[in-house]
């Protein structure tokens, strides 16, 4: 059965990519983020700079960091398998990632790094979700790719849906241990708030804050908490020996009282 499911999944992925090519050739309009069948999709992009090479001649490369967040909406998130593929039509750039929904938060997030993103290009995302009960869902979304350059690296985030929360991150340098065994550390405090008109929809709800440092593997669980009557919450997590000057992506999963979990990214530069 597993081999059959694998063949079916591969066939479906090929079919979704074929649909993607057809939509792009036909000039399909950019898709919107949000509820879509049993899966909600949220996607944002962030320009940054990566350094490649070693020795005395490292090279700075502009990159677009693409984050795809999916949420199981009308299906139990447990026992799922997800395949997510990005392509940029007209180029050889692509990336494939695999994952599953978190059974508690009900979501999953995939990060891609696109080197030297071309100008006026289209970003296409195909994803498919298969549950062990036989439920299957796949779709393709398209939208403009950020043109990140050496002169255009900050303040150019693009989202396919507006944030459902305001995020502020604070950093405090500290250390762990004493004397020669002391380890440099940083405490990151994240403040999540909502507009007063939206506060009632996020009051007394759980939130989870995970973090990712590019070059590291996936997200690490940071901290969790519960919002107050205004939908506000403060949570703090600690980084041990963080790479100074590196980027830190905090992913806040904010639960609304309608049971949906909304992702909000906040990029900061590690200062300790």
């Amino acid at each position: 059965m597993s081999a059959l499911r694998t063949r079916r999944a591969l066939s479906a992925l090929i079919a979704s990519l074929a649909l993607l090519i057809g939509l792009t050739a036909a000039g399909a309009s950019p898709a919107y983020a949000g509820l879509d069948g049993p899966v909600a999709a949220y996607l944002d992009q962030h320009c940054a700079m990566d350094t490649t090479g070693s020795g005395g001649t490292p090279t700075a490369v502009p990159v677009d960091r693409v984050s795809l967040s999916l949420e199981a909406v009308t299906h139990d998130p447990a026992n799922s398998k997800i395949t997510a593929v990005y392509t940029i039509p007209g180029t050889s750039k692509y990336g494939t990632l695999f994952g599953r929904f978190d059974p508690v938060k009900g979501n999953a997030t995939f990060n891609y790094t696109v080197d030297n993103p071309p100008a006026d290009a289209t970003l296409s995302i195909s994803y498919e979700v298969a549950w062990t009960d036989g439920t299957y869902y796949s779709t393709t979304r398209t939208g403009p790719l950020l043109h990140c350059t050496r002169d255009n690296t900050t303040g150019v985030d693009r989202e396919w849906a507006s944030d459902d929360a305001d995020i502020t991150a604070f950093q405090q340098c500290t250390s762990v241990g004493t004397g020669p065994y002391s380890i440099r550390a940083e405490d990151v405090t994240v403040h999540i708030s909502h507009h007063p008109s939206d506060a009632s929809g996020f009051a007394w709800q759980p939130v989870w804050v995970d973090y990712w440092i590019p070059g590291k593997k996936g997200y690490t669980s940071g901290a969790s908490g519960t919002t107050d009557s205004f939908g506000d919450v403060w949570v703090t997590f600690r980084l041990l020996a963080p790479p100074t000057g590196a980027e830190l992506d905090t992913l806040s999963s904010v639960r609304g009282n309608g049971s949906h979990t909304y992702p909000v990214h906040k990029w900061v530069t590690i200062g300790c």
Side-chain angles (χ1 to χ4, degrees):
M1 290 297 292
S2 60
L4 179 59
R5 290 195 188 99
T6 299
R7 289 196 297 272
R8 287 176 175 172
L10 289 174
S11 297
L13 178 57
I14 293 172
S16 66
L17 288 174
L19 174 61
L20 154 68
I21 295 172
L23 287 174
T24 303
S29 61
Y32 60 88
L35 299 182
D36 188 7
V39 176
Y42 305 88
L43 191 144
D44 62 71
Q45 302 175 63
H46 169 75
C47 284
M49 296 291 290
D50 275 354
T51 301
T52 63
S54 58
T57 57
T59 302
V61 178
V63 299
D64 182 1
R65 302 202 196 283
V66 179
S67 297
L68 170 68
S69 295
L70 303 177
E71 179 199 5
V73 178
T74 59
H75 195 290
D76 185 341
N79 302 314
S80 61
K81 293 183 178 180
I82 305 172
T83 302
V85 180
Y86 91 81
T87 60
I88 301 174
T91 75
S92 60
K93 297 180 183 294
Y94 73 94
T96 303
L97 294 172
F98 305 93
R100 62 186 67 246
F101 289 119
D102 183 285
V104 176
K105 291 180 282 188
N107 61 6
T109 299
F110 304 88
N111 286 329
Y112 307 95
T113 296
V114 182
D115 296 340
N116 293 305
D120 303 320
T122 296
L123 172 67
S124 298
I125 300 283
S126 294
Y127 56 89
E128 58 183 30
V129 184
W131 282 272
T132 55
D133 65 2
T135 302
Y136 176 83
Y137 178 78
S138 67
T139 193
T140 295
R141 295 182 177 277
T142 63
L145 181 74
L146 278 177
H147 182 214
C148 305
T149 67
R150 289 178 174 82
D151 299 321
N152 183 21
T153 59
T154 59
V156 290
D157 293 0
R158 172 181 288 150
E159 301 165 9
W160 288 10
S162 60
D163 282 346
D164 290 280
D166 293 320
I167 304 295
T168 306
F170 305 90
Q171 304 176 61
Q172 182 175 358
C173 300
T174 185
S175 61
V176 177
T178 58
Y181 304 103
S182 176
I183 300 176
R184 181 173 52 87
E186 174 178 296
D187 288 336
V188 180
T189 298
V190 175
H191 177 215
I192 301 172
S193 61
H194 296 85
H195 189 275
S197 62
D198 299 326
S200 61
F202 295 93
W204 310 117
Q205 295 297 314
V207 299
W208 300 267
V209 178
D210 303 322
Y211 66 88
W212 173 60
I213 300 173
K216 307 293 184 180
K217 182 179 180 180
Y219 283 98
T220 298
S221 177
S224 61
T226 302
T227 59
D228 60 18
S229 60
F230 298 100
D232 282 21
V233 66
W234 297 76
V235 298
T236 300
F237 59 88
R238 175 166 290 177
L239 303 175
L240 293 177
T244 302
E247 283 197 305
L248 174 68
D249 173 24
T250 62
L251 169 62
S252 300
S253 297
V254 183
R255 178 70 54 82
N257 59 18
S259 76
H260 294 305
T261 302
Y262 303 95
V264 187
H265 291 268
K266 178 67 175 182
W267 288 94
V268 296
T269 300
I270 296 176
C272 298

